[in-house]
Amino acid sequence: MSEDSCIHPYSLPTKKSSTSQQRGQVNRPEDHRHEFEITKLWDGTPLKKEDTVKLSIEGIDRWLRLEVEAPFYKDPAPPGGKYGEACPELYNYEVVEAFFLNDSNQYLEVELAPRGEHLLLMLNGRRNAVVQQLPMYNIAEIKDGFWRGIAYIDNEYLPRNITKFNAFAIHGTKDSRTYSALFPASKGEFDFPDFHRLQFFQKVSFDHMPPFNKPAERNSTLWSMFTPRQ
């Protein structure tokens, strides 16, 4: 069986259609769901339609459910990477990333890869990773030139009072590496991509969805160990 038609150990549910999705913008549905589409490179250059990436975020009980649908470019897999397990330096490979940021510059970085590897990092201040390789339940599937991933992010990993969000996609190797962003940097301002330019993250409210609409349950033991650092 070719990798392009690979079905991983867990089957994925049929994706629900949506008429409220907007490119590079935030939807504010009445239910517990946000949908996004990455349509630009890191510097704001438009992507071709076939290179766009879709993400959806849904609150379910004490978890955020993150779903990704992206083109599969058949980049080399990370050496030693295993399906469903944390993979160090996954950002150096084909990956989609989601960042959840609060006003104290505390944020969670979630990375998903087409073959089922993942990487979660808690950052207390810009680029200051304080916890890495957190365990997480996720599934992935490669089919018909695309890949889909679903992850369940535990409330314990999420910083308090998340106010901003951004998402990125990376593929290619060496000089052909391509970086895309939901909310890109200002065109012409920088010579290279950096996904930790927090000033370009945009406001997204998660207050209407679980677990954020239950303040009494938002007591993360992990985050309580860290004083906010800019």
Side-chain angles (χ1 to χ4, degrees), residues 51 201 208 221:
D51 292 320
F201 287 36
H208 64 290
T221 302

Side-chain angles (χ1 to χ4, degrees), residues 177-194:
R177 202 99 166 111
T178 298
Y179 302 84
S180 307
L182 178 65
F183 303 123
S186 300
K187 194 170 183 64
E189 186 174 352
F190 301 97
D191 295 327
F192 56 89
D194 182 347

